[in-house]
Amino acid sequence: MSHPDDAVLIFDTTLRDGEQSPGATLNVDEKLEIAHQLSRLGVDICEAGFPIASPGDFEAVRRIAQEVGPLTEGRKSGQPMVIAGLARANKPDIARAYEAVKAAPRHRIHTFLATSDIHLQFKLKIDREECIQRAIEAVTHASGLCDDVEFSPEDAGRSDAQFLTVVLGEVIKAGATTLNIPDTVGYTTPEEYGRLIEYLISHTPGAERVVWSVHCHDDLGLATANTLAGVRAGARQVEVTVNGIGERAGNTSLEEVVMAIATRPQVFGLHTDIDTTQLTRTSRMVSAYTGMVVQPNKAIVGANAFAHEAGIHQDGMLKSSLTYEIMRPETVGLLSSRLVLGKHSGRHAFRSHLNDLGYADLSDKDVNLAFERFKRLCDMKKIVTDADIEAIIADEIYQPREVWRLNHIQVSCGDHSIPTATVNLMGPDGKVYEDAALGSGPVDAVYKAINRVVGVVNTLTEFSIKAVTEGIDAVGEVTIRIQPHNGDRDEVVNPQTGQSFARTFSGHGADNDIIVAAARAYMSALNKMLTAREEKGANERQTANAV
Ligand code: KIV
Ligand code: ZN
């Protein structure tokens, strides 16, 4: 993939490395929605998954390649995204990755093999010579299938640099077009990592024929700094995730790298094709679907990233925003206005405001849903802000298919009564069901009443609540995670590490009544779990028929 020297390619791995973080599991529809948004954002390469990992992963990558792969609308580059699939360095993995991505007009096989002595000795139990041979065979096989092949020496950050130049020189000869240098365990410091990239680029035979890429993990909180050091040393592809999600402490955050490059042209002298006004929307979507809450002080996309509390800062900001603001909120898709629209605003004004917020592509049905909620909120809340509108959108639109729908809840509680909840739900058969339950608190009572109707057992493993804006009438946003029991329990194996963990399902809901928000979050998680049960059954039937 050739590109100008001052362009940095954005390789997004939210759907692969990001989704590998326990608890962030996404279903096929959610992955498709996110891939659409990554295309709008202007991502150059979308690593859509690890196709051999499961039939669900394969299907998600295949559909992204087919449905999102050809899209060019709104993209600065005018080119569609490259759709990449990950594969270990063996033929079955590579064949499966190719099958999954091949429908995309621009597709890539990304194959990896560990090169550090620790991994060779303890994980792969092979010597360096065998490692070189396996890398050559994998890349030769992949480049026989497609022109765009990326190779990653896993744990490069702890590998012998001289040995790396040998492996990398061989895979260039075998047809690799991008070489990615992962700091898999987030061990290096910016100086070390920058030096490593510089050394590899200047000592690997054929280095000038490939794109050099950086891939960092945040175990020491250095992922963004390391990535930028790699870019300054000559890398022209960065592997990142939205909100920095990923295994353990996560991956390098897309928004941080993109905004650092955009805000400091005198330091980097580089550019990306990202439409930065889509960053906030992308962050919210990924957070809603993965259930990974963004910390308020997170750079660029945290709720406080552009808030100025201290009196001295507010005073300076009123005189000139240059005093304390290095980026304009609008640049990342945040509008500066506080009061946006009122109860007398019409659908047209609402839609046009959604366009300004970066939601130009929402369907009429979705806009209508959001508009109805907005009107109800205006009756209850004096000031409706952009943050409220984004919470409504996440609550109404970034939701799984409704197997069961919550119609109403009623709760009675207090310090002298036993919390009691009544729920009214619509079932998959279109019939209305009602039941009631007592609980240790109002949320517990609601969840028990819903369980009595829906009848699936699970454990609530996480519950968090946050106010979207300040004030007593603020909208509350609840994010939860549940783990199914028995028959619905699903062990997910990470083929990169071999570790397995029980799959959990996240749900989110927003309302200015926090008990209603909690009920909506629970329905969202339950619906995801029930859809996954259906998908699993369908996959098992397909496999049985194929045998
Ligand atoms: O961190 C890592 O080493 C990876 C590789 C598979 C690129 O994610
Ligand atoms: Zn990684």
Side-chain angles (χ1 to χ4, degrees):
M1 212 172 148
S2 71
H3 67 286
D5 280 353
D6 61 351
V8 176
L9 297 169
I10 303 296
F11 177 115
D12 180 274
T13 183
T14 306
L15 298 177
R16 199 279 297 170
D17 225 352
E19 207 236 1
Q20 254 166 243
S21 47
T25 326
L26 299 161
N27 63 33
V28 177
D29 290 337
E30 292 166 335
K31 287 185 187 177
L32 268 167
E33 284 275 339
I34 292 177
H36 273 281
Q37 180 57 22
L38 294 175
S39 174
R40 264 177 233 125
L41 178 66
V43 157
D44 297 285
I45 303 110
C46 163
E47 185 163 56
F50 201 160
I52 196 102
S54 71
D57 276 53
F58 176 85
E59 188 54 13
V61 179
R62 194 190 63 77
R63 285 193 54 197
I64 290 171
Q66 199 165 50
E67 294 170 37
V68 188
L71 305 179
T72 52
E73 208 186 307
R75 291 174 56 76
K76 267 194 219 165
S77 67
Q79 300 250 54
M81 287 196 296
V82 175
I83 308 297
L86 186 69
R88 288 167 295 195
N90 64 56
K91 285 189 177 168
D93 270 43
I94 292 171
R96 195 84 174 132
Y98 176 65
E99 273 307 303
V101 297
K102 70 178 185 197
R106 301 171 79 209
H107 50 263
R108 173 179 294 186
I109 297 173
H110 176 193
T111 185
F112 72 97
L113 181 67
T115 47
S116 68
D117 289 332
I118 301 175
H119 277 232
L120 294 188
Q121 189 185 342
F122 296 106
K123 186 176 92 170
L124 299 175
K125 304 192 190 335
I126 57 173
D127 60 17
R128 287 184 175 190
E129 199 41 51
E130 171 79 21
C131 171
I132 298 171
Q133 286 319 314
R134 281 197 198 179
I136 296 174
E137 271 168 37
V139 173
T140 306
H141 184 60
S143 56
L145 296 170
C146 98
D147 300 338
D148 188 345
V149 176
E150 171 168 332
F151 176 77
S152 291
E154 192 191 10
D155 203 18
R158 292 186 301 169
S159 300
D160 173 44
Q162 199 273 329
F163 175 59
L164 278 177
T165 63
V166 178
V167 179
L168 296 174
E170 289 299 327
V171 296
I172 293 175
K173 278 196 262 166
T177 45
T178 297
L179 294 182
N180 177 47
I181 310 303
D183 181 16
T184 305
V185 291
Y187 179 70
T188 62
T189 63
E191 293 75 19
E192 275 170 350
Y193 190 69
R195 267 202 311 272
L196 175 65
I197 301 297
E198 204 176 328
Y199 174 83
L200 295 177
I201 295 180
S202 54
H203 287 79
T204 303
E208 66 293 343
R209 303 212 302 268
V210 295
V211 174
W212 290 84
S213 166
V214 284
H215 177 118
C216 300
H217 281 265
D218 208 27
D219 298 68
L220 294 173
L222 294 172
T224 298
N226 286 351
T227 295
L228 293 171
V231 166
R232 285 182 49 115
R236 287 296 176 268
Q237 173 178 289
V238 291
E239 301 206 349
V240 289
T241 61
V242 176
N243 300 335
I245 65 167
E247 272 189 276
R248 310 182 308 277
N251 286 59
T252 307
S253 127
L254 179 150
E255 56 281 0
E256 291 175 14
V257 172
V258 166
M259 289 313 292
I261 291 175
T263 309
R264 302 301 308 274
Q266 59 287 51
V267 174
F268 298 103
L270 299 167
H271 70 90
T272 71
D273 274 338
I274 293 294
D275 173 359
T276 59
T277 63
Q278 289 286 333
L279 286 172
T280 302
R281 176 180 177 188
T282 314
S283 163
R284 280 214 68 108
M285 182 190 274
V286 169
S287 172
Y289 283 152
T290 57
M292 309 287 277
V293 178
V294 176
Q295 84 216 39
N297 58 325
K298 165 86 179 62
I300 320 295
V301 290
N304 295 347
F306 291 89
H308 297 272
E309 275 297 330
I312 187 168
H313 285 205
Q314 288 179 347
D315 180 55
M317 285 290 291
L318 288 175
K319 290 176 179 142
S320 163
S321 64
L322 285 176
T323 51
Y324 287 102
E325 208 166 63
I326 59 163
M327 296 167 272
R328 300 293 305 140
E330 299 81 21
T331 316
V332 301
L334 274 176
L335 297 188
S336 50
S337 60
R338 302 291 286 165
L339 172 61
V340 290
L341 298 163
K343 65 198 283 178
H344 301 297
S345 312
R347 205 176 298 260
H348 187 70
F350 184 71
R351 168 141 231 162
S352 128
H353 193 72
L354 288 183
N355 291 355
D356 294 343
L357 281 170
Y359 294 88
D361 55 289
L362 290 189
S363 68
D364 289 345
K365 180 170 160 268
D366 286 345
V367 172
N368 287 347
L369 273 175
F371 183 66
E372 294 312 318
R373 279 292 292 280
F374 164 73
K375 283 287 191 185
R376 270 185 276 142
L377 191 60
C378 288
D379 285 335
M380 284 181 276
K381 201 169 178 289
K382 274 204 291 246
I383 298 175
V384 176
T385 67
D386 290 341
D388 292 320
I389 292 183
E390 298 217 272
I392 290 177
I393 291 185
D395 184 66
E396 285 292 339
I397 296 161
Y398 302 159
Q399 290 291 6
R401 186 170 64 82
E402 270 187 324
V403 184
W404 285 86
R405 177 187 300 163
L406 179 71
N407 289 332
H408 312 289
I409 63 165
Q410 193 173 333
V411 179
S412 109
C413 62
D415 61 358
H416 266 69
S417 65
I418 300 176
T420 313
T422 309
V423 297
N424 176 302
L425 306 178
M426 168 129 79
D429 54 4
K431 291 193 188 136
V432 171
Y433 295 81
E434 276 187 324
D435 214 326
L438 306 176
S440 56
V443 173
D444 186 44
V446 171
Y447 286 14
K448 285 195 171 127
I450 294 174
N451 284 350
R452 285 173 66 91
V453 177
V454 178
V456 286
V457 252
N458 64 78
T459 305
L460 180 71
T461 57
E462 250 178 74
F463 183 98
S464 75
I465 181 159
K466 73 169 193 216
V468 172
T469 47
E470 61 269 21
I472 193 75
D473 57 357
V475 169
E477 211 170 30
V478 172
T479 304
I480 66 157
R481 225 174 268 288
I482 58 174
Q483 195 169 82
H485 292 184
N486 312 327
D488 286 317
R489 201 181 149 90
D490 201 3
E491 293 293 319
V492 184
V493 182
N494 173 343
Q496 192 186 341
T497 59
Q499 279 167 333
S500 70
F501 53 87
R503 185 167 177 187
T504 57
F505 296 89
S506 65
H508 63 95
D511 199 279
N512 39 5
D513 181 324
I514 54 171
I515 308 299
V516 175
R520 292 177 70 87
Y522 191 51
M523 292 310 299
S524 151
L526 279 180
N527 281 330
K528 263 195 201 176
M529 190 178 130
L530 293 169
T531 305
R533 182 201 269 180
E534 277 174 27
E535 279 175 5
K536 195 172 165 211
N539 283 334
E540 280 167 4
R541 280 193 298 279
Q542 212 176 3
T543 316
N545 287 343
V547 174

